[in-house]
Amino acid sequence: MDNTEQKFLKQLDDKLWKAADKLRANLDAANYKHVVLGLIFLKYVSDAFEERQEQLLELFKTDDEDNLYYLPRDDFDSDEEYQEALTEELEVLDYYREANVFWVPKAARWSTLKEKAVLPIGSVLWQDDAGNDVKLRSVSWLIDNALEEIEKSNSKLKGILNRISQYQLENEKLIGLINTFSDTSFTKPELGGERLNLQSKDILGHVYEYFLGQFALAEGKQGGQYYTPKSIVTLIVEMLQPYSGRVYDPAMGSGGFFVSSDKFIEEHAKEQHYDASEQRKHISVYGQESNPTTWRLAAMNMAIRGIDFNFGKKNADSFLNDQHADLRADFVMANPPFNVKDWWNESLADDVRWKYGTPPKGNANFAWVQHMLHHLAPTGSMGILLANGSMSSNTNNEGEIRKRLIEEDLVECMVALPGQLFTNTQIPACIWFLTKDKANGMVRNEKNRDRRGEFLFIDARELGYMKDRVLRDFTNDDIAKVADTFHQWQQGEGYEDIAGFCKSVNLDDIKKHDFVLTPGRYVGAKEQEDDGEPFNEKMARLTAQLSEQFAESERLEAEIKRNLGGLGYGL
């Protein structure tokens, strides 16, 4: 993305967020995201619909022997009849579905919202199918009606668009949002009169992601239930490389791993010069989420990007109501909530998923690990974010489960992360990478070697930068450094241990550390550069320098006291 495109997106972010943030005085942070994201969704689908209309209109008027859409003017007696025919043809639903564009009924189009929202309450808007007058009840009702109409016409969206009337927002507030959003276009981006090459889904995806991050910040601790930092998601996806197969996330939040997998395919398609849309046909997305509003957010996130998905029949608890019981996925990726205490139910006591030991009732960390392993295909690989305690805890059977996982040779790589990466918790985190085929015997990846009995540790705690006073983030170079190290180790080409960063060990090494998987125990300390000065001489020099600084500090303190004394302040 060039600087002009980045500038455009930054201005768009700031503009839309400033407008949306005005709702904060009227709504809790947990609620106003549904209002804002619902309106953004309506604006996008309407823009995409209108763009398709413009394309169709051009096709209807273009006389070309290969153009099946051509509508000859000579077939009509008058211009009026011709225009009526064009208008009628533009309302044919199949023209939109064939281009993977959502059908937007007239009552749900943005132009309708903008026009009707400013009318006096009680004004007649249109007539229903029975010929009865439909009157304006409120602006929130008008928006809900639009969402309902879109759901009726698009089966993929049924039951996932959150209604906003329940939040009882003032009409003027919503009219202000509609007016602000009206000044943006997802299909014709330009900056300073320059038309940009950004695709509408890219713009919408960026805005959606930005807003989820901002809402997570605003909500604090609870916000993380649907948002995982983009750089962490990208890191896991880049390490697992989900080119094709079944991708599963049993704690999907808003579906960030699926979005990142889609972006991964697109970026690597550019590098390899193949068709990303064709490659996407080889990916199937499966997810589960217990929170009903977050489940809807995830479904909407997929729908706006054109990603086919299976999120089960409803929101549900992954442990108690597994929506994909028979699934065996090629890639499993998740950021489940850390250290969940109230997850247990007696019906889980002898569950088939606890192959490596029954998880403690007071902590779900190893329940998530085993649930994901249960759903992993024989050649599958998985990455899971967990609290650091999972690498070393020996309480309530956790140590025994970890030992079994290591002895069964399922653990492939451990990555220690820096602090302050998450908006919702300060708990230090790590990433576990596991696989059922370290032998590479079934050759899912021809480049990989037989890695049985080997384990890779990466200490990434020194990577990243402070993006603001609170949050840390990874750069693209940081992500590439970790992912490349992992792939070089997997393939046996170009890998070498780096003190303080990475180390390849065997089972005996891990046994010596009592099956603790903390990378810092294995990678050692970072090598210090030798500046050529002998230690004794350096110590003497630094000690003398410190004494001089202490003396100077005492002199300055005495000078300050004298000056203050002259002003009448006794010290």
PDB file of all heavy atoms in Angstrom, residues 77 430 502:
ATOM      1  N   ASP A  77     -40.414   1.518 -28.496  1.00  0.00           N
ATOM      2  CA  ASP A  77     -41.055   2.550 -29.299  1.00  0.00           C
ATOM      3  C   ASP A  77     -40.637   3.964 -28.906  1.00  0.00           C
ATOM      4  O   ASP A  77     -40.734   4.884 -29.726  1.00  0.00           O
ATOM      5  CB  ASP A  77     -42.585   2.435 -29.195  1.00  0.00           C
ATOM      6  CG  ASP A  77     -43.080   1.135 -29.813  1.00  0.00           C
ATOM      7  OD1 ASP A  77     -42.410   0.629 -30.731  1.00  0.00           O
ATOM      8  OD2 ASP A  77     -44.117   0.616 -29.339  1.00  0.00           O
ATOM      9  N   CYS A 430       2.076 -16.637  25.445  1.00  0.00           N
ATOM     10  CA  CYS A 430       2.969 -17.404  24.579  1.00  0.00           C
ATOM     11  C   CYS A 430       2.122 -18.070  23.494  1.00  0.00           C
ATOM     12  O   CYS A 430       0.891 -18.088  23.573  1.00  0.00           O
ATOM     13  CB  CYS A 430       3.716 -18.465  25.382  1.00  0.00           C
ATOM     14  SG  CYS A 430       2.605 -19.657  26.191  1.00  0.00           S
ATOM     15  N   CYS A 502      16.685 -18.055  19.710  1.00  0.00           N
ATOM     16  CA  CYS A 502      16.100 -19.341  19.313  1.00  0.00           C
ATOM     17  C   CYS A 502      17.060 -20.490  19.601  1.00  0.00           C
ATOM     18  O   CYS A 502      18.287 -20.320  19.585  1.00  0.00           O
ATOM     19  CB  CYS A 502      15.697 -19.336  17.836  1.00  0.00           C
ATOM     20  SG  CYS A 502      17.070 -19.112  16.679  1.00  0.00           S
TER      21      CYS A 502
END
